[in-house]
Amino acid sequence: TFGFFGRLAIEHKGLDLLIEGFARYRHSGGKGRLALFGSGQTHQQLAEMCAALGIADMCTIEGPRFGQDKVQAASRWDFYVAPSRFDHMPLALMEAGLMGLPLILSEGTGLLGQVEAGGAGLAIAGLSAQSVAEAMHAAEAIDPAQWRTLSRNAYRVALATGDWTTIAASLRDLYCGAPITGDQPPRASHHAMH
């Protein structure tokens, strides 16, 4: 099963590409299922897209899940798919990695480089339904040993990417141009409102 959880924002998250890509994958011999759950007002629109493409019986679209219910539902999946058009470090993708779900994602997620470097999943080569279908076919061809390696690596990449010590140091370098030292911000002695 291919899955997505998070905000069901069709354009932003590329859910139209996900559904159209899944339809192409199924119509060209793919055997998987698609499950989506999340918040937003697009459930009916997504269900109508599935019906129009002849895949309604292979897809589930549900409201948001939280806590153990979310983990339990996603634990039945084989891959988390994120064909986002524009995102930057989506939290849902990080959660999926921490659950050990191998990731199938677009460059628009902001995490493709880390996932590819860490061997944690597969790239959606372009922002098209065809690219999503191709990535799904590639995922379906992965053997169990490869899947376990991707799963372990997804966990490791999510853990490393979400490490706030590293993130804070990166932000400090970006905004202040110097490594973190001491417990004072660089401009602590300056007060512009004299």
Short mmCIF file of all heavy atoms in Angstrom, two decimals, residues 30-77:
data_model
loop_
_atom_site.label_atom_id
_atom_site.label_comp_id
_atom_site.label_asym_id
_atom_site.label_seq_id
_atom_site.Cartn_x
_atom_site.Cartn_y
_atom_site.Cartn_z
N GLY A 30 0.09 -2.30 -12.07
CA GLY A 30 0.45 -2.21 -10.67
C GLY A 30 -0.57 -2.89 -9.77
O GLY A 30 -1.76 -2.91 -10.09
N LYS A 31 -0.13 -3.44 -8.68
CA LYS A 31 -1.00 -4.23 -7.79
C LYS A 31 -1.34 -3.53 -6.47
O LYS A 31 -2.16 -4.01 -5.71
CB LYS A 31 -0.32 -5.56 -7.45
CG LYS A 31 0.11 -6.36 -8.65
CD LYS A 31 -1.02 -7.18 -9.18
CE LYS A 31 -0.54 -8.13 -10.26
NZ LYS A 31 -0.96 -7.74 -11.59
N GLY A 32 -0.69 -2.42 -6.16
CA GLY A 32 -0.85 -1.77 -4.86
C GLY A 32 -2.18 -1.08 -4.66
O GLY A 32 -3.01 -1.00 -5.57
N ARG A 33 -2.35 -0.57 -3.45
CA ARG A 33 -3.52 0.22 -3.07
C ARG A 33 -3.03 1.61 -2.65
O ARG A 33 -1.84 1.79 -2.38
CB ARG A 33 -4.27 -0.46 -1.92
CG ARG A 33 -4.81 -1.84 -2.32
CD ARG A 33 -5.71 -2.45 -1.26
NE ARG A 33 -6.82 -1.57 -0.86
CZ ARG A 33 -7.93 -1.37 -1.54
NH1 ARG A 33 -8.11 -1.96 -2.70
NH2 ARG A 33 -8.88 -0.57 -1.09
N LEU A 34 -3.95 2.54 -2.53
CA LEU A 34 -3.62 3.90 -2.12
C LEU A 34 -4.50 4.28 -0.93
O LEU A 34 -5.71 4.08 -0.96
CB LEU A 34 -3.84 4.89 -3.26
CG LEU A 34 -3.53 6.36 -2.97
CD1 LEU A 34 -2.04 6.55 -2.64
CD2 LEU A 34 -3.92 7.22 -4.17
N ALA A 35 -3.87 4.81 0.12
CA ALA A 35 -4.60 5.26 1.31
C ALA A 35 -4.17 6.68 1.64
O ALA A 35 -2.98 6.97 1.69
CB ALA A 35 -4.30 4.33 2.48
N LEU A 36 -5.14 7.55 1.84
CA LEU A 36 -4.87 8.93 2.25
C LEU A 36 -5.72 9.23 3.47
O LEU A 36 -6.88 8.83 3.54
CB LEU A 36 -5.26 9.92 1.15
CG LEU A 36 -4.46 9.93 -0.13
CD1 LEU A 36 -5.02 8.93 -1.12
CD2 LEU A 36 -4.50 11.31 -0.74
N PHE A 37 -5.13 9.94 4.42
CA PHE A 37 -5.94 10.50 5.49
C PHE A 37 -5.33 11.81 5.93
O PHE A 37 -4.13 12.04 5.82
CB PHE A 37 -6.16 9.52 6.66
CG PHE A 37 -4.94 9.05 7.40
CD1 PHE A 37 -4.33 9.83 8.37
CD2 PHE A 37 -4.42 7.79 7.15
CE1 PHE A 37 -3.23 9.36 9.07
CE2 PHE A 37 -3.32 7.31 7.84
CZ PHE A 37 -2.72 8.11 8.81
N GLY A 38 -6.22 12.71 6.36
CA GLY A 38 -5.73 14.00 6.79
C GLY A 38 -6.83 15.02 6.92
O GLY A 38 -8.01 14.73 6.73
N SER A 39 -6.39 16.24 7.21
CA SER A 39 -7.32 17.34 7.42
C SER A 39 -7.53 18.11 6.13
O SER A 39 -6.77 17.98 5.18
CB SER A 39 -6.75 18.29 8.49
OG SER A 39 -5.50 18.81 8.04
N GLY A 40 -8.58 18.90 6.12
CA GLY A 40 -8.87 19.73 4.96
C GLY A 40 -10.29 19.50 4.47
O GLY A 40 -11.01 18.63 4.96
N GLN A 41 -10.67 20.27 3.48
CA GLN A 41 -12.04 20.24 2.95
C GLN A 41 -12.10 19.56 1.58
O GLN A 41 -13.04 19.79 0.83
CB GLN A 41 -12.56 21.67 2.84
CG GLN A 41 -12.51 22.45 4.13
CD GLN A 41 -13.35 21.80 5.23
OE1 GLN A 41 -14.47 21.38 4.98
NE2 GLN A 41 -12.80 21.71 6.42
N THR A 42 -11.10 18.74 1.23
CA THR A 42 -11.02 18.20 -0.12
C THR A 42 -11.34 16.72 -0.23
O THR A 42 -11.16 16.13 -1.30
CB THR A 42 -9.61 18.46 -0.70
OG1 THR A 42 -8.65 17.79 0.13
CG2 THR A 42 -9.30 19.94 -0.77
N HIS A 43 -11.80 16.09 0.84
CA HIS A 43 -12.06 14.65 0.81
C HIS A 43 -12.98 14.26 -0.35
O HIS A 43 -12.70 13.31 -1.09
CB HIS A 43 -12.66 14.19 2.14
CG HIS A 43 -11.72 14.31 3.28
ND1 HIS A 43 -11.54 15.51 3.95
CD2 HIS A 43 -10.90 13.42 3.87
CE1 HIS A 43 -10.65 15.34 4.91
NE2 HIS A 43 -10.24 14.08 4.89
N GLN A 44 -14.08 14.98 -0.51
CA GLN A 44 -15.06 14.67 -1.56
C GLN A 44 -14.43 14.86 -2.94
O GLN A 44 -14.59 14.02 -3.82
CB GLN A 44 -16.31 15.54 -1.41
CG GLN A 44 -17.40 15.19 -2.40
CD GLN A 44 -17.93 13.77 -2.21
OE1 GLN A 44 -18.02 13.26 -1.09
NE2 GLN A 44 -18.27 13.11 -3.30
N GLN A 45 -13.68 15.93 -3.12
CA GLN A 45 -13.04 16.19 -4.41
C GLN A 45 -12.03 15.08 -4.75
O GLN A 45 -11.97 14.62 -5.89
CB GLN A 45 -12.34 17.55 -4.37
CG GLN A 45 -11.78 18.00 -5.68
CD GLN A 45 -11.13 19.39 -5.60
OE1 GLN A 45 -11.22 20.08 -4.59
NE2 GLN A 45 -10.48 19.78 -6.68
N LEU A 46 -11.28 14.64 -3.77
CA LEU A 46 -10.31 13.56 -3.98
C LEU A 46 -11.03 12.26 -4.31
O LEU A 46 -10.61 11.52 -5.21
CB LEU A 46 -9.42 13.39 -2.75
CG LEU A 46 -8.45 14.56 -2.47
CD1 LEU A 46 -7.86 14.43 -1.07
CD2 LEU A 46 -7.36 14.62 -3.52
N ALA A 47 -12.11 11.97 -3.61
CA ALA A 47 -12.90 10.76 -3.88
C ALA A 47 -13.48 10.80 -5.29
O ALA A 47 -13.49 9.78 -6.00
CB ALA A 47 -14.01 10.61 -2.85
N GLU A 48 -13.94 11.98 -5.72
CA GLU A 48 -14.47 12.12 -7.08
C GLU A 48 -13.39 11.92 -8.12
O GLU A 48 -13.65 11.33 -9.18
CB GLU A 48 -15.15 13.49 -7.23
CG GLU A 48 -16.45 13.59 -6.47
CD GLU A 48 -17.00 15.02 -6.39
OE1 GLU A 48 -16.40 15.95 -7.00
OE2 GLU A 48 -18.03 15.19 -5.70
N MET A 49 -12.17 12.39 -7.84
CA MET A 49 -11.05 12.17 -8.76
C MET A 49 -10.80 10.67 -8.91
O MET A 49 -10.61 10.17 -10.03
CB MET A 49 -9.79 12.86 -8.26
CG MET A 49 -9.81 14.37 -8.35
SD MET A 49 -8.38 15.15 -7.52
CE MET A 49 -7.04 14.58 -8.57
N CYS A 50 -10.79 9.95 -7.79
CA CYS A 50 -10.56 8.50 -7.82
C CYS A 50 -11.65 7.80 -8.64
O CYS A 50 -11.36 6.92 -9.46
CB CYS A 50 -10.51 7.93 -6.41
SG CYS A 50 -9.05 8.43 -5.48
N ALA A 51 -12.89 8.20 -8.42
CA ALA A 51 -14.01 7.58 -9.15
C ALA A 51 -13.89 7.86 -10.65
O ALA A 51 -14.07 6.94 -11.46
CB ALA A 51 -15.34 8.10 -8.60
N ALA A 52 -13.59 9.09 -11.01
CA ALA A 52 -13.48 9.46 -12.42
C ALA A 52 -12.36 8.69 -13.12
O ALA A 52 -12.45 8.41 -14.32
CB ALA A 52 -13.25 10.96 -12.56
N LEU A 53 -11.33 8.33 -12.38
CA LEU A 53 -10.19 7.60 -12.96
C LEU A 53 -10.34 6.08 -12.85
O LEU A 53 -9.44 5.34 -13.23
CB LEU A 53 -8.90 8.06 -12.28
CG LEU A 53 -8.49 9.51 -12.57
CD1 LEU A 53 -7.41 9.98 -11.61
CD2 LEU A 53 -8.03 9.66 -14.02
N GLY A 54 -11.45 5.63 -12.30
CA GLY A 54 -11.73 4.20 -12.21
C GLY A 54 -10.93 3.46 -11.15
O GLY A 54 -10.70 2.26 -11.26
N ILE A 55 -10.53 4.17 -10.09
CA ILE A 55 -9.71 3.54 -9.05
C ILE A 55 -10.33 3.66 -7.66
O ILE A 55 -9.66 3.38 -6.66
CB ILE A 55 -8.27 4.12 -9.03
CG1 ILE A 55 -8.30 5.64 -8.86
CG2 ILE A 55 -7.51 3.70 -10.29
CD1 ILE A 55 -6.96 6.27 -8.56
N ALA A 56 -11.58 4.04 -7.59
CA ALA A 56 -12.22 4.28 -6.28
C ALA A 56 -12.16 3.06 -5.37
O ALA A 56 -11.98 3.20 -4.15
CB ALA A 56 -13.67 4.72 -6.48
N ASP A 57 -12.28 1.86 -5.93
CA ASP A 57 -12.27 0.66 -5.10
C ASP A 57 -10.86 0.26 -4.65
O ASP A 57 -10.70 -0.67 -3.86
CB ASP A 57 -12.95 -0.51 -5.82
CG ASP A 57 -12.29 -0.85 -7.15
OD1 ASP A 57 -11.61 0.03 -7.74
OD2 ASP A 57 -12.45 -2.00 -7.61
N MET A 58 -9.85 0.96 -5.12
CA MET A 58 -8.46 0.68 -4.75
C MET A 58 -7.89 1.76 -3.82
O MET A 58 -6.72 1.72 -3.46
CB MET A 58 -7.60 0.61 -6.00
CG MET A 58 -8.02 -0.45 -6.98
SD MET A 58 -7.43 -0.02 -8.62
CE MET A 58 -8.73 -0.71 -9.62
N CYS A 59 -8.73 2.74 -3.47
CA CYS A 59 -8.28 3.90 -2.69
C CYS A 59 -9.16 4.10 -1.47
O CYS A 59 -10.37 3.88 -1.53
CB CYS A 59 -8.36 5.17 -3.53
SG CYS A 59 -7.38 5.15 -5.02
N THR A 60 -8.56 4.56 -0.38
CA THR A 60 -9.33 5.01 0.77
C THR A 60 -8.90 6.43 1.08
O THR A 60 -7.71 6.75 1.03
CB THR A 60 -9.11 4.12 2.02
OG1 THR A 60 -7.72 4.09 2.32
CG2 THR A 60 -9.60 2.71 1.78
N ILE A 61 -9.87 7.26 1.39
CA ILE A 61 -9.62 8.66 1.74
C ILE A 61 -10.41 8.93 3.01
O ILE A 61 -11.64 8.80 3.03
CB ILE A 61 -10.04 9.61 0.62
CG1 ILE A 61 -9.28 9.26 -0.68
CG2 ILE A 61 -9.78 11.06 1.02
CD1 ILE A 61 -9.84 9.91 -1.91
N GLU A 62 -9.69 9.26 4.08
CA GLU A 62 -10.32 9.43 5.38
C GLU A 62 -9.89 10.74 6.02
O GLU A 62 -8.92 11.37 5.60
CB GLU A 62 -9.95 8.26 6.30
CG GLU A 62 -10.38 6.91 5.77
CD GLU A 62 -9.89 5.75 6.62
OE1 GLU A 62 -8.90 5.92 7.36
OE2 GLU A 62 -10.51 4.69 6.54
N GLY A 63 -10.57 11.09 7.09
CA GLY A 63 -10.24 12.28 7.87
C GLY A 63 -8.95 12.08 8.65
O GLY A 63 -8.30 11.04 8.57
N PRO A 64 -8.59 13.08 9.45
CA PRO A 64 -7.33 13.02 10.18
C PRO A 64 -7.32 11.92 11.25
O PRO A 64 -8.36 11.54 11.77
CB PRO A 64 -7.21 14.40 10.80
CG PRO A 64 -8.58 14.95 10.84
CD PRO A 64 -9.33 14.32 9.70
N ARG A 65 -6.15 11.43 11.52
CA ARG A 65 -5.91 10.47 12.59
C ARG A 65 -4.78 11.03 13.44
O ARG A 65 -3.91 11.71 12.93
CB ARG A 65 -5.51 9.11 12.03
CG ARG A 65 -6.60 8.43 11.24
CD ARG A 65 -6.07 7.14 10.63
NE ARG A 65 -7.07 6.44 9.88
CZ ARG A 65 -7.62 5.29 10.26
NH1 ARG A 65 -7.25 4.73 11.39
NH2 ARG A 65 -8.52 4.70 9.52
N PHE A 66 -4.80 10.66 14.70
CA PHE A 66 -3.80 11.20 15.62
C PHE A 66 -3.25 10.10 16.50
O PHE A 66 -3.88 9.07 16.71
CB PHE A 66 -4.42 12.30 16.48
CG PHE A 66 -5.02 13.42 15.68
CD1 PHE A 66 -6.38 13.45 15.43
CD2 PHE A 66 -4.22 14.41 15.14
CE1 PHE A 66 -6.94 14.46 14.67
CE2 PHE A 66 -4.77 15.43 14.37
CZ PHE A 66 -6.13 15.46 14.14
N GLY A 67 -2.07 10.34 17.04
CA GLY A 67 -1.47 9.45 18.02
C GLY A 67 -1.35 8.02 17.54
O GLY A 67 -0.95 7.76 16.41
N GLN A 68 -1.70 7.10 18.43
CA GLN A 68 -1.55 5.68 18.13
C GLN A 68 -2.41 5.25 16.95
O GLN A 68 -2.02 4.38 16.18
CB GLN A 68 -1.87 4.84 19.38
CG GLN A 68 -1.42 3.41 19.27
CD GLN A 68 0.07 3.25 18.97
OE1 GLN A 68 0.90 4.00 19.43
NE2 GLN A 68 0.40 2.26 18.16
N ASP A 69 -3.56 5.87 16.79
CA ASP A 69 -4.44 5.56 15.66
C ASP A 69 -3.72 5.85 14.33
O ASP A 69 -3.78 5.07 13.38
CB ASP A 69 -5.73 6.36 15.77
CG ASP A 69 -6.74 6.01 14.70
OD1 ASP A 69 -6.87 4.83 14.33
OD2 ASP A 69 -7.41 6.94 14.21
N LYS A 70 -3.01 6.96 14.28
CA LYS A 70 -2.25 7.34 13.08
C LYS A 70 -1.13 6.34 12.82
O LYS A 70 -0.95 5.86 11.70
CB LYS A 70 -1.66 8.74 13.29
CG LYS A 70 -0.81 9.25 12.17
CD LYS A 70 -0.13 10.54 12.62
CE LYS A 70 -0.13 11.57 11.56
NZ LYS A 70 0.43 12.85 12.02
N VAL A 71 -0.38 6.01 13.86
CA VAL A 71 0.73 5.08 13.73
C VAL A 71 0.22 3.71 13.28
O VAL A 71 0.80 3.08 12.38
CB VAL A 71 1.52 4.96 15.06
CG1 VAL A 71 2.55 3.86 14.99
CG2 VAL A 71 2.17 6.30 15.40
N GLN A 72 -0.86 3.26 13.87
CA GLN A 72 -1.43 1.95 13.53
C GLN A 72 -1.88 1.91 12.08
O GLN A 72 -1.62 0.93 11.37
CB GLN A 72 -2.60 1.64 14.46
CG GLN A 72 -2.92 0.20 14.57
CD GLN A 72 -3.87 -0.05 15.75
OE1 GLN A 72 -4.51 0.87 16.28
NE2 GLN A 72 -3.96 -1.28 16.16
N ALA A 73 -2.55 2.96 11.61
CA ALA A 73 -3.03 3.00 10.22
C ALA A 73 -1.84 3.00 9.25
O ALA A 73 -1.83 2.24 8.28
CB ALA A 73 -3.90 4.22 10.00
N ALA A 74 -0.85 3.84 9.50
CA ALA A 74 0.30 3.94 8.61
C ALA A 74 1.20 2.71 8.66
O ALA A 74 1.91 2.42 7.70
CB ALA A 74 1.10 5.20 8.93
N SER A 75 1.14 1.96 9.74
CA SER A 75 1.98 0.76 9.86
C SER A 75 1.56 -0.33 8.86
O SER A 75 2.32 -1.26 8.62
CB SER A 75 1.95 0.22 11.29
OG SER A 75 0.71 -0.38 11.57
N ARG A 76 0.39 -0.19 8.28
CA ARG A 76 -0.07 -1.16 7.27
C ARG A 76 0.41 -0.80 5.86
O ARG A 76 0.17 -1.53 4.91
CB ARG A 76 -1.59 -1.26 7.30
CG ARG A 76 -2.12 -1.87 8.59
CD ARG A 76 -3.60 -2.14 8.56
NE ARG A 76 -4.42 -0.93 8.64
CZ ARG A 76 -4.84 -0.39 9.78
NH1 ARG A 76 -4.53 -0.94 10.92
NH2 ARG A 76 -5.59 0.69 9.76
N TRP A 77 1.07 0.33 5.74
CA TRP A 77 1.54 0.80 4.44
C TRP A 77 2.94 0.27 4.15
O TRP A 77 3.68 -0.10 5.06
CB TRP A 77 1.59 2.31 4.39
CG TRP A 77 0.29 3.01 4.60
CD1 TRP A 77 -0.98 2.46 4.62
CD2 TRP A 77 0.11 4.40 4.84
NE1 TRP A 77 -1.91 3.43 4.85
CE2 TRP A 77 -1.28 4.64 4.99
CE3 TRP A 77 0.98 5.48 4.95
CZ2 TRP A 77 -1.80 5.90 5.23
CZ3 TRP A 77 0.46 6.73 5.19
CH2 TRP A 77 -0.92 6.94 5.33
#
